[in-house]
Amino acid sequence: MSGLNLTVKVHPVVLFQVVDAYERRNADSHRVIGTLLGSVDKGVVEVTNCFCVPHKEHDDQVEAELSYALDLYDLNRKVNPNENVVGWWATGNEVTNHSSVIHEYYARECNNPVHLTVDTSLQGGRMGLCAYVCIPLGVPGGKTGCMFTPIPVEMTCYEPETVGIKLLQKTIGNSAPHRTKTVSPMLDLAQISEAATKLQSLLELILKYVEDVIAHKQPPDNAVGRQLLDLIHSVPHMSHEQFTQMFNANVRDLLMVITLSNLIKTQLQLNEKLTYLPTN
């Protein structure tokens, strides 16, 4: 498959690891590079993990600790055997002269490696994210070269990552000296209440849009209409009695699990105290 047909999806943990590596860089290092790990399926490169590779860049050469990268990749394979090398990353907002040299190494490690740049300098007030593939150029029998061509890149999240990001977003703006920058996880009921409030506001927004379209106050959007239709069809059809019965059954199961866990906890605490009792 041609590299131009690829789409890159990056998980948030990758960006956190890149920023962490950039903050821990040596004082004389202006750029940090590393290996991207993930999977490739049907033209989609999903980047789920990464690690930093120590290196030094000079005017005419690049020195990278490739043995360190191989050892770290082998250790990661023991924990996550489904993660393979899919490319490499670098901090900065542009492709440098040394990028082609580094890309040649990763071209030997995987097919069509992607190059991800993360703008940790926050130019424009945001952390820019770009993805590239290297396209060979040249004429037969003549000089050859390569050109880094941009490809689509987007962020994607698993459900646990979404919960973590929403929790981290609550620390934004807590820069005052008297305010803490730590946020404790909410209780289950508080999370349900917050989710229900947000869901209600979204439903009100959808109802307002539909009413405006019916009243010819806003032009209709076919894409939005299809998504609303899919949303309605995804709702299970059940009566109020069936929903109440299902909800009560789930609550009973949850209470049973909580009761059993509390009993096990009490038994373990009692066993621990009996173990440390003095014996005559």
Side-chain angles (χ1 to χ4, degrees):
M1 178 179 290
S2 174
L4 294 176
N5 298 326
L6 296 176
T7 300
V8 181
K9 294 185 177 181
V10 184
H11 285 259
V13 65
V14 176
L15 299 182
F16 284 120
Q17 290 176 337
V18 170
V19 173
D20 181 70
Y22 180 77
E23 292 293 329
R24 297 172 183 270
R25 72 190 188 281
N26 295 329
D28 56 345
S29 298
H30 302 287
R31 191 168 77 140
V32 185
I33 67 171
T35 301
L36 296 176
L37 302 175
S39 59
V40 183
D41 184 27
K42 297 180 180 180
V44 177
V45 180
E46 188 170 0
V47 184
T48 56
N49 200 355
C50 72
F51 59 83
C52 177
V53 177
H55 84 297
K56 292 183 179 180
E57 295 186 12
H58 305 282
D59 294 337
D60 55 348
Q61 64 179 354
V62 179
E63 298 177 0
E65 298 184 13
L66 301 181
S67 58
Y68 171 83
L70 292 175
D71 293 340
L72 201 57
Y73 174 63
D74 291 338
L75 291 174
N76 186 81
R77 288 278 293 178
K78 295 180 180 180
V79 181
N80 301 310
N82 295 327
E83 291 183 346
N84 301 311
V85 176
V86 295
W88 64 288
W89 59 267
T91 57
N93 60 344
E94 60 183 7
V95 178
T96 65
N97 296 329
H98 296 147
S99 297
S100 58
V101 179
I102 302 173
H103 199 84
E104 287 180 2
Y105 164 74
Y106 284 96
R108 297 192 296 266
E109 297 295 325
C110 63
N111 186 28
N112 285 333
V114 298
H115 175 35
L116 189 71
T117 59
V118 182
D119 184 14
T120 50
S121 61
L122 301 180
Q123 292 190 7
R126 62 186 301 272
M127 188 167 61
L129 187 66
C130 299
Y132 304 89
V133 291
C134 192
I135 305 299
L137 299 175
V139 294
K143 293 184 178 180
T144 59
C146 63
M147 179 179 66
F148 284 92
T149 304
I151 58 175
V153 58
E154 61 185 45
M155 295 294 301
T156 185
C157 299
Y158 296 131
E159 290 186 2
E161 292 176 331
T162 304
V163 176
I165 290 177
K166 289 182 179 179
L167 189 62
L168 290 174
Q169 286 177 342
K170 296 182 179 180
T171 62
I172 298 177
N174 292 351
S175 58
H178 61 281
R179 298 181 65 179
T180 178
K181 291 187 178 182
T182 60
V183 177
S184 302
M186 295 186 300
L187 299 176
D188 294 340
L189 290 179
Q191 293 183 11
I192 294 175
S193 176
E194 183 179 1
T197 303
K198 184 177 180 180
L199 179 60
Q200 183 178 2
S201 62
L202 292 176
L203 289 175
E204 292 176 354
L205 183 63
I206 292 175
L207 288 175
K208 184 179 183 304
Y209 169 78
V210 174
E211 292 174 353
D212 290 343
V213 170
I214 294 176
H216 302 286
K217 296 181 180 179
Q218 185 173 349
D221 190 334
N222 294 333
V224 176
R226 284 191 293 267
Q227 292 179 359
L228 290 177
L229 184 61
D230 294 338
L231 179 63
I232 293 174
H233 288 166
S234 64
V235 177
H237 298 281
M238 62 177 61
S239 63
H240 177 71
E241 291 77 12
Q242 291 175 338
F243 177 80
T244 303
Q245 183 179 2
M246 180 190 68
F247 180 79
N248 291 334
N250 291 333
V251 170
R252 286 195 297 270
D253 294 340
L254 178 61
L255 293 177
M256 179 62 68
V257 171
I258 294 175
T259 302
L260 291 176
S261 63
N262 288 334
L263 287 175
I264 294 174
K265 182 179 179 181
T266 303
Q267 186 175 5
L268 291 175
Q269 292 176 346
L270 181 60
N271 181 65
E272 182 180 2
K273 292 182 180 181
L274 292 176
T275 303
Y276 288 100
L277 284 177
T279 56
N280 296 329

